[in-house]
Amino acid sequence: MKRPLPDYPDELIAKFLSGNATEEEKQEVAAWEESHPDHPVLLEKLKKVWYSNSKVPLVDVDKAWGILENRIINVEKGKTVLPLVPWWLKVAAVLVLGFISVLGYNLLKDKQTETVWLALKENREERLPDGSIVALREGSELIFRESFEKNVRRVRLKGEAFFDVVSDPTKPFVVELNQLTIKVLGTSFYIHESNLSIEVGVKTGRVSVSVSNKQDSRDIAAGQKIRFDKATNDFEEIGQYADNRLFWKTGVLVYRDTGLEIVIEELRQIFQADIVLEGDVSGCLLTGRFEGETLEQILSEIQLSFGLEVEYGDNIKIISGGC
């Protein structure tokens, strides 16, 4: 009895074997592989065929078809059959055709113009083609295609930004970073990246944050934030949304009975300053609002509030005066 060809997603597997699959597509391949006992065997054989022919040569289609016609065996008048070929090899042949079509699509896609927005010496706010608004912090960069893909609105970010995304349930909005992918439908959120971590905070709506090189994701709701540690390649506990992260955009810092150690750590990150705490400030709780003030002005007010001593030099030293 002739064995039927197993059901398989040829273009998806072609992208997977060629190294062009996204993390989501890799997960789809893994799910397909587990869905039937024959699929792991098929995938393994396809890998052998693929990697033994890693270079795709230019093909003379007419010549190849002529050779194929010459191999047809006439069994009866008006009927022809091909010599028996293993079913998985037939799949591999179709897969190569699928790869060629995917390759052609990717080559055409890569020719689309990419737009690069740079916030060189100051913050920058722009409107994307779908109407979504993005605010870039000074020193940040956003890259996207002039025409979004058919089923996704994809951008690549380097640095720090705040997004106010127009809702479109049929076309998710995706932000790609070096180690994370953030997927939303319609929401507003910030991304804060440093050398050590990436923090995502959601103001409205909901976002999904996933690690690029492993199957690990977190759903973050409005009023929440999550921090990703680059060194451990893992998430930390979900915390409360931090409005102060957007000081570069709003110029506003608000504290309510906040420990001075937490305040100073936040000022270090916001102003990228080297601030050293000396002495015990565990009893110092700050309540106040700062708007449009420099680091020196903020520290001066903290100094007066708690009777601290502040020294300026290669770094800033805050010496406890007793809270």
Side-chain angles (χ1 to χ4, degrees):
M1 179 181 293
K2 185 178 179 181
R3 184 176 183 177
L5 294 179
D7 180 33
Y8 69 99
D10 53 349
E11 290 192 6
L12 181 63
I13 294 179
K15 292 179 72 175
F16 172 75
L17 294 178
S18 65
N20 292 316
T22 64
E23 288 301 316
E24 185 174 352
E25 288 169 337
K26 290 177 184 177
Q27 293 177 20
E28 289 180 26
V29 172
W32 170 84
E33 185 180 7
E34 296 173 358
S35 66
H36 192 280
D38 284 347
H39 290 175
V41 178
L42 171 59
L43 187 59
E44 187 60 32
K45 290 182 177 181
L46 292 176
K47 286 180 180 178
K48 290 180 180 179
V49 172
W50 186 271
Y51 295 126
S52 65
N53 297 277
S54 57
K55 293 183 179 180
V56 180
L58 294 175
V59 178
D60 185 334
V61 177
D62 292 332
K63 182 178 179 180
W65 183 250
I67 294 173
L68 182 62
E69 285 185 317
N70 290 333
R71 292 183 179 179
I72 293 177
I73 302 174
N74 292 308
V75 179
E76 296 180 36
K77 187 176 181 180
K79 293 184 180 180
T80 59
V81 296
L82 289 173
L84 291 177
V85 178
W87 62 270
W88 59 267
L89 197 54
K90 295 178 184 178
V91 172
V94 176
L95 184 60
V96 170
L97 293 177
F99 169 69
I100 292 173
S101 65
V102 170
L103 180 62
Y105 168 76
N106 286 336
L107 288 174
L108 289 174
K109 183 178 70 172
D110 289 341
K111 289 183 179 179
Q112 294 182 22
T113 303
E114 284 191 332
T115 298
V116 180
W117 286 344
L118 299 173
L120 295 177
K121 297 182 179 180
E122 59 184 5
N123 301 333
R124 178 175 179 177
E125 186 169 305
E126 298 283 357
R127 188 180 296 273
L128 290 163
D130 67 334
S132 298
I133 296 174
V134 56
L136 295 173
R137 186 176 184 178
E138 178 185 350
S140 300
E141 173 184 309
L142 190 77
I143 303 173
F144 61 95
R145 298 188 186 281
E146 287 186 354
S147 298
F148 284 129
E149 299 168 45
K150 183 178 180 181
N151 298 318
V152 67
R153 297 170 287 171
R154 191 187 311 276
V155 300
R156 300 198 305 275
L157 174 68
K158 296 179 182 178
E160 192 167 350
F162 178 82
F163 294 88
D164 191 353
V165 179
V166 172
S167 178
D168 185 351
T170 65
K171 186 180 289 188
F173 189 93
V174 174
V175 182
E176 295 180 343
L177 297 95
N178 281 335
Q179 291 176 260
L180 291 182
T181 299
I182 300 161
K183 183 177 180 180
V184 306
L185 295 177
T187 183
S188 56
F189 62 100
Y190 69 75
I191 300 173
H192 170 82
E193 183 173 13
S194 67
N195 293 332
L196 301 177
S197 66
I198 301 172
E199 184 176 299
V200 180
V202 181
K203 186 174 183 179
T204 61
R206 195 177 190 90
V207 308
S208 175
V209 185
S210 58
V211 184
S212 300
N213 58 358
K214 65 178 183 179
Q215 294 184 7
D216 188 10
S217 64
R218 298 287 190 278
D219 288 338
I220 313 301
Q224 294 181 331
K225 70 173 182 179
I226 194 165
R227 184 176 179 272
F228 174 79
D229 190 302
K230 291 183 176 180
T232 62
N233 201 39
D234 206 356
F235 292 108
E236 297 181 358
E237 292 296 322
I238 293 176
Q240 186 175 359
Y241 178 84
D243 279 309
N244 287 350
R245 279 294 190 203
L246 293 175
F247 174 78
W248 59 270
K249 180 177 182 291
T250 64
V252 176
L253 291 175
V254 178
Y255 296 103
R256 298 181 182 87
D257 291 329
T258 307
L260 190 56
E261 290 180 335
I262 296 174
V263 173
I264 296 305
E265 176 58 31
E266 192 166 71
L267 293 177
R268 286 191 189 108
Q269 296 182 21
I270 290 173
F271 291 97
Q272 299 178 355
D274 185 8
I275 306 175
V276 178
L277 268 176
E278 295 185 355
D280 182 15
V281 295
S282 58
C284 302
L285 300 178
L286 178 64
T287 297
R289 175 186 173 91
F290 305 96
E291 185 168 356
E293 298 183 43
T294 65
L295 175 60
E296 288 74 15
Q297 290 171 329
I298 294 172
L299 291 178
S300 178
E301 293 187 37
I302 291 175
Q303 179 182 11
L304 293 174
S305 298
F306 298 107
L308 305 177
E309 182 181 342
V310 180
E311 296 179 357
Y312 296 90
D314 293 336
N315 54 27
I316 301 173
K317 290 185 179 180
I318 298 179
I319 303 173
S320 172
C323 294

